[in-house]
Amino acid sequence: MKTSCGQIMYSKASRSTILVIGDVRNTVNQIRYQRVLALAEAYPLYVVTTSPLPAALREKVCEVHVVGRWLSMLRTCLRLAQRLAADGDLVVHTVYAPRPMVAGFLCRLLVQCRWIYDLYDHPSLTWSRSGGLRRLLKYGMWRLALSRMLYWADVWVIGMHPGILSHLPVPRRRCRLVLSGGPGIQELPVRETREPTNRQMVFCYAGPLEAQRGSRLIASWARSYDGPPGCLHLMGSEDYRAVDAIESVREEAFRRGLRIVRHGWIEHDKVLEILRSGNIGLCAIAPHVLNYRYSYPIKVVEYMSQGLVPVATDGQGVRTLIRHGETGFVARYGYESFSRAITEAISACQDRDRHKTLLSNMRRNVKHRSWSSLNRNLLLDIETALGTTI
């Protein structure tokens, strides 16, 4: 299915760009949403995706092609690339997932256009959601075929901690690396101060509620909660195992003074509204998943921007965003360490001077992380890597 918008005006003649991407939700703080927004504002953009774009993005692009999973995506990308390449300069920009990667490789090889590979998540994220033989096949496909295709990419955009490069093949000499700077925020911090409280502590978790993302660890902490009266808000899509883990501790947590509220998936504006009432933001991700070990969790930056003290499990990306005791608290992925870090965060929130210092440090940490600034820098770096200027 193809849709197109009205004529878009650009400040100068720009090359056409094909963006091959997965499902893009109507959530402005997600990287997928921001990639579409940034590219559409700089170039004539043609999007090949597996589901319709949000209306606000659809108005900004030239064409949207909603395709199937494999052959439909490859066929549409090749035909679109051939058509646009005949009219001038063309770049194909693909995300980390296997199907877009194959599409980018084929366009680079058969159409002779330039190819940008965008790694803001690692393919290990898809392995973690499979088991048995299927997981082994996905890993084997990456090692034996997909990772070798990256040799032909002209630019790698690395949206993770640079340590992830040790798990990628060596790029060819002509390939250029662009570090995107990690996640951003849609708005600057909304509160200059927040009074500490001894009456109720509000904890928030914003993100998919899954076993791989710490639902069992959060449940273990809630079962043994030992602190002031509190409320735990869980916001995000849920899988049944995570729900079972949380519901199994609900009554015990309540007896210990912690009320649990599951919101499920809600609009981002509602998430921000709940975050603004919170004191501590939780981020517990499993370190055995390669992707999580090097990712920059968006929720950590968002917690800081809304005045919540983040408590996150250790990872290369997490330690880049959080300096323990100064801009939040970092724990090992385990019940004792995680609980101890939360207890320290509670104590910090109840200490007026220390809490004020934490808020000041967090504001300083996210001051230059607006999406508009990050997107602008990313486009400049891509243009430099491709040997042109905006």
Side-chain angles (χ1 to χ4, degrees), residues 89-150:
D89 193 13
L90 172 67
V91 168
V92 175
H93 190 127
T94 68
V95 298
Y96 73 97
R99 286 177 285 267
M101 188 190 308
V102 173
F105 169 73
L106 291 178
C107 289
R108 175 70 177 84
L109 197 65
L110 301 179
V111 184
Q112 297 295 302
C113 60
R114 287 181 289 181
W115 173 26
I116 296 175
Y117 174 67
D118 199 337
L119 186 79
Y120 54 79
D121 272 319
H122 187 272
S124 60
L125 184 61
T126 65
W127 310 339
S128 67
R129 295 169 180 168
S130 303
L133 181 60
R134 188 175 182 185
R135 181 173 183 173
L136 183 63
L137 289 174
K138 285 184 175 182
Y139 175 75
M141 182 181 295
W142 165 255
R143 293 284 296 178
L144 298 177
L146 295 176
S147 63
R148 300 186 180 189
M149 294 180 184
L150 292 183

Side-chain angles (χ1 to χ4, degrees), residues 360-378:
S360 177
N361 292 339
M362 290 189 299
R363 285 196 299 271
R364 192 180 306 115
N365 203 26
V366 300
K367 183 178 180 180
H368 302 293
R369 283 197 169 274
S370 69
W371 275 118
S372 58
S373 175
L374 291 175
N375 288 341
R376 173 68 177 173
N377 292 338
L378 175 62

Side-chain angles (χ1 to χ4, degrees), residues 16-301:
S16 297
T17 297
I18 299 174
L19 175 63
V20 190
I21 197 167
D23 179 26
V24 180
R25 287 188 173 183
N26 189 28
T27 306
V28 296
N29 219 33
Q30 294 298 314
I31 291 180
R32 291 185 184 187
Y33 189 104
Q34 290 296 327
R35 284 294 189 270
V36 177
L37 185 63
L39 294 173
E41 291 179 347
Y43 316 115
L45 184 65
Y46 300 77
V47 178
V48 178
T49 181
T50 53
S51 62
L53 289 182
L57 292 178
R58 194 164 57 246
E59 297 173 352
K60 296 180 179 294
V61 305
C62 296
E63 294 179 5
V64 181
H65 298 260
V66 181
V67 298
R69 292 293 181 179
W70 266 110
L71 291 180
S72 176
M73 174 177 286
L74 299 181
R75 183 168 55 246
T76 299
C77 288
L78 283 171
R79 288 177 178 173
L80 185 58
Q82 289 170 344
R83 170 164 67 89
L84 296 176
D87 296 332
D89 193 13
L90 172 67
V91 168
V92 175
H93 190 127
T94 68
V95 298
Y96 73 97
R99 286 177 285 267
M101 188 190 308
V102 173
F105 169 73
L106 291 178
C107 289
R108 175 70 177 84
L109 197 65
L110 301 179
V111 184
Q112 297 295 302
C113 60
R114 287 181 289 181
W115 173 26
I116 296 175
Y117 174 67
D118 199 337
L119 186 79
Y120 54 79
D121 272 319
H122 187 272
S124 60
L125 184 61
T126 65
W127 310 339
S128 67
R129 295 169 180 168
S130 303
L133 181 60
R134 188 175 182 185
R135 181 173 183 173
L136 183 63
L137 289 174
K138 285 184 175 182
Y139 175 75
M141 182 181 295
W142 165 255
R143 293 284 296 178
L144 298 177
L146 295 176
S147 63
R148 300 186 180 189
M149 294 180 184
L150 292 183
Y151 180 81
W152 297 99
D154 297 279
V155 177
W156 290 2
V157 174
I158 306 299
M160 307 178 69
H161 186 278
I164 194 65
L165 291 169
S166 65
H167 299 275
L168 297 176
V170 177
R172 60 177 176 158
R173 183 174 59 84
R174 294 178 55 190
C175 180
R176 297 293 179 262
L177 302 182
V178 170
L179 301 180
S180 70
I185 55 175
Q186 188 64 16
E187 55 184 276
L188 292 176
V190 296
R191 291 189 184 214
E192 291 298 314
T193 61
R194 174 175 294 147
E195 291 297 321
T197 175
N198 291 309
R199 290 177 295 179
Q200 176 171 277
M201 195 65 58
V202 178
F203 305 90
C204 296
Y205 171 84
L209 194 63
E210 302 171 354
Q212 301 283 7
R213 301 195 184 217
S215 61
R216 292 174 183 170
L217 184 56
I218 292 174
S220 296
W221 162 74
R223 178 191 288 116
S224 304
Y225 180 71
D226 183 19
C231 179
L232 171 62
H233 292 277
L234 302 171
M235 299 163 281
S237 57
E238 305 170 323
D239 72 21
Y240 71 93
R241 289 170 295 187
V243 171
D244 289 345
I246 294 297
E247 291 302 323
S248 68
V249 305
R250 179 184 290 276
E251 291 185 5
E252 179 62 24
F254 186 76
R255 282 195 293 269
R256 289 178 169 271
L258 181 67
R259 183 167 60 93
I260 299 176
V261 180
R262 283 178 35 229
H263 297 270
W265 187 88
I266 55 179
E267 293 291 338
H268 188 246
D269 288 344
K270 181 64 174 177
V271 172
L272 292 178
E273 181 182 331
I274 295 173
L275 291 183
R276 290 178 189 129
S277 70
N279 302 102
I280 295 172
L282 306 181
C283 176
I285 49 181
H288 64 272
V289 180
L290 182 62
N291 180 76
Y292 295 149
R293 205 180 309 160
Y294 293 97
S295 65
Y296 295 122
I298 293 176
K299 60 174 67 66
V300 169
V301 176

